[in-house]
Amino acid sequence: MIKSIAFFFCSLCFFMQGQVFYSVNFSPGHGWTLNTYNNLTTTTEGDSPNIWYVSDNESGMPVGDRGSAGCGNPTLHMGSTTIGDGGAAYDAGGCTNLGFGPCASCVSNGLYCVTTDRAATSPAINTVGQTSITLAFNFIHFGTALLDNAQVIYSINGGVSWILLGNLAKATCCASAAACSLPCTVSACNGSRQGQWAAYSSALPVSCENITNLMIGIRWYNDDISTNGKDPSVAIDDLNLSVPIILPVTITTFYADYLTRSVSVKWQAENEQLFESFVVEKSPDGISFYEFARIKSCNKNNYSATDEAPFNPVTYYRLKQVDKSQKYQYSKIISVNTNINFDVFNVSFITDTKNILVSLNCFAEGRGSIEVYDLLGKKVINYNGLLKLGENNVLLNAENLSCGIYVVLITSGNNSKTVKMVF
């Protein structure tokens, strides 16, 4: 069944963005303060938290390229506790437990806990005379659900208190080793692959306008529970604040069709003189947007892009229109009720005498369950929790199980899959 939603409007209905009044590419003199404990929560850090660095060990690359090092473009990134600044190398350091439990289980071995809650923050930014402000930057972000996470925060009182703008989405990864000139082959993040640069943008609240002491920050927290033996990280580059401009391009139609597991976004454009490209962005909440396609302008009027991984249950879309001087404007936002019934596939198990590690892939993020039954039909293990888009590793406690054959029922949305398991 195909569900469709369409919006038709003229160029006068657009929100115009693109005149940058603050930017930082993290070259020397960037002015940001690193490794400050923030007061968003009462969570305390462990005895050896991760470290924010600014260096070329995770070079800033164009959106869609792999993470690299030594390419001549420094970035802000989180590094390891024990090995230092390795770029966004997905290694928290200290005790990682190889994915089999919390940090506390390593204390008896003399290793320390790496639990982190710290931020990198901008200097005070003057926004007097600036309205309809948009925050944008490029990023790499890898982690386990919300246990290892980067957040965008801001302050309107010079850093006395901080407000959460939103969680930064997890980016995709690239296969094989990093290099400045190699193209990115998209691959599932497994803890040993480089991240893929992605784009973020979000409108700032009205409270950020016309003040002298706006501050922007990136908060990182990590619980030291690893993903496939490696812990995650985050990198930020080319951050800017911009306000409206008007470009001559006219969008006459803009709509999206939901096609079971993908969304087709289509639009028609006129007056594309001196125009470069259309960037298609998506969002789970209509606030924080991420680039997923870039289409070059060719004066053909009709354009389209396909989103192979929409959010569940609603995905928001907008167009970023870029001219040859790199000024840009945003369209209005449209939404699609995706209501994805996502499937589970490629299920595998790793067992020992006390645990079962279930590895599986999902087409979208959402609540799911893993139930283990013996051959008499008795439920012996029950797990309910968040299953994210792509690769998942779920650790089940199996201390009370005896050796034998079991049936595992995995449910995600309205779909389910039954798999036999030998323990």
Side-chain angles (χ1 to χ4, degrees), residues 72-116:
N73 187 357
T75 65
L76 169 70
H77 51 265
M78 180 58 66
S80 168
T81 295
T82 50
I83 67 174
D85 181 9
Y90 316 141
D91 188 347
C95 170
T96 60
N97 287 300
L98 300 179
F100 285 94
C103 179
S105 65
C106 285
V107 173
S108 60
N109 297 329
L111 299 175
Y112 44 80
C113 278
V114 179
T115 50
T116 308

Side-chain angles (χ1 to χ4, degrees), residues 105-157:
S105 65
C106 285
V107 173
S108 60
N109 297 329
L111 299 175
Y112 44 80
C113 278
V114 179
T115 50
T116 308
D117 189 349
R118 55 176 49 186
T121 59
S122 75
I125 302 169
N126 189 333
T127 67
V128 173
Q130 312 288 2
T131 58
S132 300
I133 301 171
T134 294
L135 167 67
F137 54 81
N138 294 339
F139 73 98
I140 289 175
H141 186 206
F142 176 72
T144 307
L146 296 181
L147 300 178
D148 310 292
N149 197 44
Q151 295 181 325
V152 184
I153 58 178
Y154 67 95
S155 172
I156 57 175
N157 54 17

Side-chain angles (χ1 to χ4, degrees), residues 307 311 385:
D307 180 8
F311 297 104

Side-chain angles (χ1 to χ4, degrees), residues 221-237:
Y221 59 89
N222 173 36
D223 65 351
D224 203 46
I225 298 177
S226 65
T227 300
N228 284 357
K230 294 286 186 179
D231 283 288
S233 190
V234 62
I236 305 293
D237 194 27

Side-chain angles (χ1 to χ4, degrees), residues 18-219:
Q19 185 65 48
V20 174
F21 68 91
Y22 171 81
S23 65
V24 58
N25 61 3
F26 298 103
S27 297
H30 55 80
W32 278 53
T33 301
L34 309 183
N35 303 306
T36 59
Y37 176 72
N38 70 77
N39 59 356
L40 281 176
T41 71
T42 58
T43 303
T44 58
E45 294 187 306
D47 55 15
S48 190
N50 297 148
I51 303 167
W52 283 105
Y53 291 95
V54 171
S55 76
D56 195 24
N57 286 345
E58 188 65 57
S59 299
M61 302 293 285
V63 170
D65 282 3
R66 67 178 70 250
S68 301
C71 301
N73 187 357
T75 65
L76 169 70
H77 51 265
M78 180 58 66
S80 168
T81 295
T82 50
I83 67 174
D85 181 9
Y90 316 141
D91 188 347
C95 170
T96 60
N97 287 300
L98 300 179
F100 285 94
C103 179
S105 65
C106 285
V107 173
S108 60
N109 297 329
L111 299 175
Y112 44 80
C113 278
V114 179
T115 50
T116 308
D117 189 349
R118 55 176 49 186
T121 59
S122 75
I125 302 169
N126 189 333
T127 67
V128 173
Q130 312 288 2
T131 58
S132 300
I133 301 171
T134 294
L135 167 67
F137 54 81
N138 294 339
F139 73 98
I140 289 175
H141 186 206
F142 176 72
T144 307
L146 296 181
L147 300 178
D148 310 292
N149 197 44
Q151 295 181 325
V152 184
I153 58 178
Y154 67 95
S155 172
I156 57 175
N157 54 17
V160 176
S161 60
W162 291 89
I163 303 169
L164 175 64
L165 184 64
N167 292 302
L168 191 59
K170 303 301 188 291
T172 54
C173 286
C174 300
S176 72
C180 300
S181 59
L182 290 178
C184 173
T185 301
V186 175
S187 179
C189 298
N190 68 357
S192 63
R193 294 181 173 132
Q194 279 288 325
Q196 180 182 7
W197 282 97
Y200 169 96
S201 65
S202 178
L204 293 182
V206 175
S207 59
C208 297
E209 301 173 357
N210 291 301
I211 60 176
T212 60
N213 53 359
L214 172 68
M215 295 178 67
I216 303 295
I218 308 295
R219 176 200 181 204

